Amino acid sequence: TLENPLAQRFGAAFFRSLPRSPGVSFFHDVDGKLLYIGQSVDLRARLGSYRHVSPERQPRRTLRLVARVARIEWRLCAS
């Protein structure tokens, strides 16, 4: 199933450890290929939102992206 693959893959502790700060996130696949770059004023809230994707609420491209993510990195920014 495509629902909640990041929650299963990374676990709740990973998402709790994310900073509530502005930053840029980088999603990579299993081969290390960069899939997506995103920005947010609250990394924990933004990245946490990807844990709750569903076919009823998100476009297929988001579901495909989340299904492929194997590594998430981030860098903090001033704003």
Side-chain angles (χ1 to χ4, degrees):
T1 179
L2 287 177
E3 192 162 355
N4 298 325
L6 292 185
Q8 296 169 7
R9 210 169 296 135
F10 294 96
F14 170 81
F15 290 97
R16 280 194 305 271
S17 74
L18 293 168
R20 290 195 175 277
S21 304
V24 178
S25 56
F26 306 88
F27 290 5
H28 300 268
D29 69 9
V30 293
D31 298 319
K33 178 181 174 186
L34 182 61
L35 301 172
Y36 177 78
I37 299 173
Q39 64 179 5
S40 176
V41 296
D42 183 335
L43 283 169
R44 185 184 301 180
R46 182 66 182 123
L47 293 175
S49 73
Y50 286 105
R51 293 183 306 160
H52 305 292
V53 298
S54 70
E56 298 81 30
R57 295 186 310 222
Q58 275 79 29
R60 280 185 295 190
R61 70 177 187 274
T62 301
L63 299 172
R64 286 192 305 266
L65 169 69
V66 168
R68 293 179 61 196
V69 173
R71 187 176 85 231
I72 299 173
E73 297 177 345
W74 66 90
R75 292 194 178 77
L76 298 179
C77 298
S79 62

